[in-house]
Amino acid sequence: MTDDERVAVKTYVPRYQKGAWEDHADNLEMSQSEFVRTMVQAGRSDFEVPSSGGAADEKQSEMDADAETADSAGDDFADRILEVLQREGVHDWDELVDALIDDVEDDLDAALQQLQDENKVRYSGREGGYVVVGDE
């Protein structure tokens, strides 16, 4: 095997994350593989995604504006990491992932309960999941 030979890398992400990556890749007119490879490298070396001009740049500007809004969510996530480490002590990567997933599941459960109490969503066995009340 040579250093420049292509090899597969496999990872698992939540379905919503894959969907977001697909949308972002489409907006940048990239394949999913190219998008993930570029984002990983960007995170490692702080380089910017090359500009292709035209509609892709306009969409990128819109996504950049959305990203600014999402920055506070990133801060919240960093706060969650700190909370876990302060509450539970030293964690390796997998332990942090598990702890954060547990926190997300707890938050999801609480939020769904609140939305059901407010009669905004309900569980539909027929639909196979949660639905917005009134959109049925």
Side-chain angles (χ1 to χ4, degrees), residues 103-116 130:
D103 281 354
V104 169
E105 288 174 345
D106 292 344
D107 290 349
L108 175 61
D109 186 50
L112 281 171
Q113 187 59 52
Q114 178 182 347
L115 290 168
Q116 289 176 91
Y130 291 93

Side-chain angles (χ1 to χ4, degrees), residues 13 25-26 60 69:
V13 296
D26 287 345
Q60 182 62 45
T69 304

Side-chain angles (χ1 to χ4, degrees), residues 114-129:
Q114 178 182 347
L115 290 168
Q116 289 176 91
D117 291 347
E118 295 169 356
N119 201 32
K120 293 181 179 178
V121 300
R122 70 176 181 80
Y123 184 81
S124 169
R126 175 177 267 172
E127 296 290 325

Side-chain angles (χ1 to χ4, degrees), residues 6-136:
R6 292 184 179 260
V7 295
V9 175
K10 191 171 190 174
T11 187
Y12 295 90
V13 296
R15 187 177 311 277
Y16 74 87
Q17 184 69 63
K18 184 177 189 309
W21 288 357
E22 287 171 335
D23 292 345
H24 200 160
D26 287 345
N27 289 336
L28 293 172
E29 299 174 356
M30 297 174 135
S31 70
Q32 289 178 48
S33 293
E34 181 183 16
F35 173 77
V36 171
R37 196 171 40 251
T38 301
M39 292 302 109
V40 168
Q41 284 304 109
R44 293 185 66 229
S45 57
D46 293 331
F47 76 80
E48 298 205 12
V49 176
S51 174
S52 61
D57 281 344
E58 290 176 25
K59 291 192 185 245
Q60 182 62 45
S61 295
E62 292 170 15
M63 289 186 300
D64 289 345
D66 291 343
E68 287 178 28
T69 304
D71 278 348
S72 64
D75 292 343
D76 291 343
F77 192 67
D79 290 342
R80 288 185 138 178
I81 294 169
L82 284 173
E83 280 178 31
V84 167
L85 293 173
Q86 289 169 341
R87 181 178 66 229
E88 301 174 16
V90 176
H91 278 49
D92 67 18
W93 177 269
D94 291 332
E95 292 168 335
L96 263 176
V97 169
D98 289 342
L100 292 167
I101 287 171
D102 287 344
D103 281 354
V104 169
E105 288 174 345
D106 292 344
D107 290 349
L108 175 61
D109 186 50
L112 281 171
Q113 187 59 52
Q114 178 182 347
L115 290 168
Q116 289 176 91
D117 291 347
E118 295 169 356
N119 201 32
K120 293 181 179 178
V121 300
R122 70 176 181 80
Y123 184 81
S124 169
R126 175 177 267 172
E127 296 290 325
Y130 291 93
V131 296
V132 175
V133 172
D135 281 358
E136 303 148 57

